Amino acid sequence: MARFLLLLLALLLLLAGGSATNISYDHRAIIIGGQRRILISGCLHYPRASPQMWPALIRNAKEGGLDMIDTYVFWDGHEPSPGIYNFQGRYDLIRFLKLVHQAGLYVNLRIGPYVCAEWNFGGFPAWLLKLPGIQFRTHNRAFEDKMEEFVRKIVDMVKSEQLFASQGGPVLFSQIENEYGNVQGSYGTNGKTYMLWAARMAKDLETGVPWIMCKQPDAPDYIINTCNGYYCDGWKPNSRDKPAMWTENWSGWYQLWGEAAPYRTVEDVAFAVARFFQRGGVAQNYYMVRMLHDLEQHLLMPERCQYFGGTNFGRTSGGPFITTSYDYDAPLDEFGMLRQPKWGHLKELHAALKLCETALTSNDPLYYTLGRMQEMVQAHVYSDGSLEANFSNLATPCAAFLANIDTSSASVKFGGNVYNLPPWSVSILPDCRNVVFNTAQVSAQTSVTKMVAVQKPSLIEEVSGSYTPGLVEQLAWEWFQEPVGGSGINKILAHALLEQISTTNDSTDYLWYSTRFEISDQELKGGDPVLVITSMRDMVHIFVNGEFAGSTSTLKSGGLYARVQQPIHLKAGVNHLAILSATVGLQNYGAHLETHGAGITGSVWIQGLSTGTRNLTSALWLHQVGLNGEHDAITWSSTTSLPFFQPLVWYKANFNIPDGDDPVAIHLGSMGKGQAWVNGHSLGRFWPAITAPSTGCSDRCDYRGTYYSSKCLSGCGLPSQEWYHVPREWLVNEKNTLVLLEEIGGNVSGVSFASRVVDRVCAQVSEYSLPPVAQFSSLPELGLSCSPGQFISSIFFASFGNPKGRCGAFQKGSCHALESETIVEKACIGRQSCSFEIFWKNFGTDPCPGKAKTLAVEAACTEAVDSAPTLVRT
Ligand SMILES: *[C@@H]1O[C@H](CO)[C@@H](O)[C@H](O)[C@H]1NC(C)=O
Ligand SMILES: *[C@@H]1O[C@H](CO)[C@@H](O)[C@H](O)[C@H]1NC(C)=O
Ligand SMILES: *[C@@H]1O[C@H](CO)[C@@H](O)[C@H](O)[C@H]1NC(C)=O
Ligand SMILES: *[C@@H]1O[C@H](CO)[C@@H](O)[C@H](O)[C@H]1NC(C)=O
Ligand SMILES: *[C@@H]1O[C@H](CO)[C@@H](O)[C@H](O)[C@H]1NC(C)=O
Ligand SMILES: *[C@@H]1O[C@H](CO)[C@@H](O)[C@H](O)[C@H]1NC(C)=O
């Protein structure tokens, strides 16, 4: 094995302090200070949460069994203008790295600086476009110089804070570029030259920790190339000297405006992760992952697995058209709360994998097929290699993974024992004999959250991800009507239609194009004409003589650019045409991003005049960058009547915040499209006016079988996002200010604030469930926990016997221990959490001797107010 070792750092020896860690790897392990490790990593992008949220997110990631946090570094956020850096607030990278370090976790620092990440322009600052001759992500001085400058800046900062693991810090890996292998071919030989330049440039920065390139099959020897895939089992790096590491594959998983929300069962997520380690994985990262599942048939299987997604605040969402919520159905939800049972089940999986670490890191697995169905039940055994085919003589260490990749259950003999494997599941045997975990057996509790309206008294309930707003007090609104066409702020006149990004420098979503033209009576004889824009992106709102005529977006056109044909009404004489072009997140994926452009990228004509077509392309156009409201050119009013369903209205209201520490959200489901700010912080874009298709959703998702991104959807027929996260950090105790910009018309009466809390918790565990991994070989256990600051206030359901149904709809079966409720109430009411060992003696008399029994409980969580709860029933 020694010959595989890649020694990274003679340099380390020179570092004083003794805290420096020697990091190396071979194809079976990441070797940290001499210890052979497998690593479980989760993505947590620091600017997608507020700094106040970071400590709890990191703590919950650690408690969930993660070893490493994976984050991109966001160039556009850190260098908003050339040479002007921002490392404050959500962009305080060093503070974030230090917090991760304090928590005892490692970091995979994916510097990029192209990051994709569903982030605006893939992380590129728009000012790069101003550099003459620049081409992104290929061999040219303009780009390479700026890229190197930024990467060097980040590496120097991390180094000077002693944050690389080689210096005793948490940064174990860094990534250069991102999925370049996917686009390299589009750049000809310059692509390869650039890739090799980037690799060499990174290496020469001498971080002392390994560099990674994901999806880069031709990465040079000193770089680890990693797998980005739906299921990464079966994937191999390009050299036996390298460990199999799984980073991510971004495509097909994020949510666009107007789409239903994809979700993935925890059984299947756990299956994919377990399969990766079963088949030789060393480091895995929760992100969206997809890959070739290399069964004989090479099925393509999608999945998503961000550990915490968070929020695309401000104008950071990419796309175009990526939603503001970046929740991802992740183990930690957008608000930072545990998503249960996902978080808890994966925690068990991680604990089971850790029990296998010594065996996993010592050798390649031996592979066996079991059972009658060829290849459908697979065993992978990690041992010292001397394992006998008949298992009479198990070596130590020894760990085995038994996978049933069939959609029905299987019973197989392995090492002389019989194992029952649920469909589409992996059992983990850290000693090659005893199953400690099965991916399809979920004992972790389910938590049901709700939104509690701030303006008392009603509740807004979340039911399977959808929400129904309750009655709330009205906010007192002021408003301002944005002038159509702008009012000439920073006006740019041209006999042409200017490309949007180079005109606005992406400082705003908006660019007005307005012009005046004369039409005679004669020309209007043919009836109402049609305005044609031959090519535009991402969206235009068209106004004629101050009146809104219509909007077109490229969202559902299937292409990057769309043609607009808008019937308009003209009058004889001078007409005023004003087109508001709006970007909705700059493209984040693909080659040649710098060539895309936005706004009106074609010609503008008026068709259907009795004299034919009037070409306005070279008319005198007045361009205004941004809206008056964005330039603070606003005169608020509250005397005229409050505008409803009017385009281009700014609204403002003051509000007080909900008490406590629960996450806060604003309901914008009644609005059209626009942006929202609280106390000057942008919450992001909203667009509830566009709804998801009404079909394709399922209430229940069959975890079995190949996953694909449209397999399990929720929110059909509803806006993609009605609730928007308002970080507590941005709120003050009294008199917060909300500002909304409405582009197309909405109903501000439906706007309200709520806090998000856990409402109910449920769990269901049987006598034959596996005991918690950490308590190897004890009894199965049912645990219930409300959030910190809450207590269990009542038990809706408790039955030890053969209860039926699921959370929210449990029912007693024919077998029921009469004392179930009393026993559960006694143990749980008034407490934040409670747990039960599943054994009949704990529930009085055996309600049905000889039969397998299950305990199912559903309990209510309530916010602990000032005094201790006194709700204990007798
Ligand atoms: C680092 O670890 C490797 C493998 O464990 C070992 O061979 C090497 O000598 C170590 N290097 C230093 C500088 O300690
Ligand atoms: C994601 O992975 C699949 C399968 O490996 C591949 O075909 C696809 O091109 C990848 N997409 C991206 C964006 O990397
Ligand atoms: C199992 O393998 C061992 C070692 O190869 C052998 O001695 C033993 O007879 C085998 N047992 C059976 C039941 O095949
Ligand atoms: C965009 O950038 C150019 C060059 O850096 C500058 O001259 C121009 O004023 C900027 N425009 C806006 C709207 O920021
Ligand atoms: C309109 O004018 C533009 C530029 O002046 C030209 O490129 C375009 O072809 C013209 N379109 C028509 C339909 O005449
Ligand atoms: C606007 O929203 C309020 C509150 O949800 C609702 O009562 C009212 O009917 C809505 N108005 C319209 C025209 O939809």
Side-chain angles (χ1 to χ4, degrees), residues 5 7 9-10 12-13 22-24 31 34:
L5 292 175
L7 305 182
L9 309 160
L12 280 181
L13 287 175
N22 179 357
I23 298 124
S24 63
I31 305 162

Side-chain angles (χ1 to χ4, degrees), residues 179 182 215 228 249-251 290 300 589:
E179 297 192 330
N182 290 346
K215 302 215 70 170
N228 281 3
N249 178 325
W250 66 276
S251 64
R290 75 149 61 153
L300 191 68
Y589 175 73

Side-chain angles (χ1 to χ4, degrees), residues 654-672:
N654 294 325
F655 64 98
N656 293 320
I657 54 167
D659 296 331
D661 302 323
D662 300 314
V664 178
I666 179 172
H667 183 257
L668 296 173
S670 61
M671 299 300 288

Side-chain angles (χ1 to χ4, degrees), residues 31-53:
I31 305 162
I32 304 171
Q35 284 200 306
R36 301 180 63 76
R37 301 287 311 274
I38 55 167
L39 292 176
I40 298 171
S41 167
C43 282
L44 198 170
H45 298 155
Y46 51 96
R48 285 178 157 141
S50 65
Q52 201 179 49
M53 294 168 70

Side-chain angles (χ1 to χ4, degrees), residues 370 402 410-421 427 429 433-435:
L370 306 172
L402 308 183
S411 178
V412 294
K413 241 180 144 170
F414 171 77
N417 297 320
V418 175
Y419 296 87
N420 293 313
L421 299 171
S427 281
L429 293 63
R433 287 188 196 281
N434 294 290
V435 176

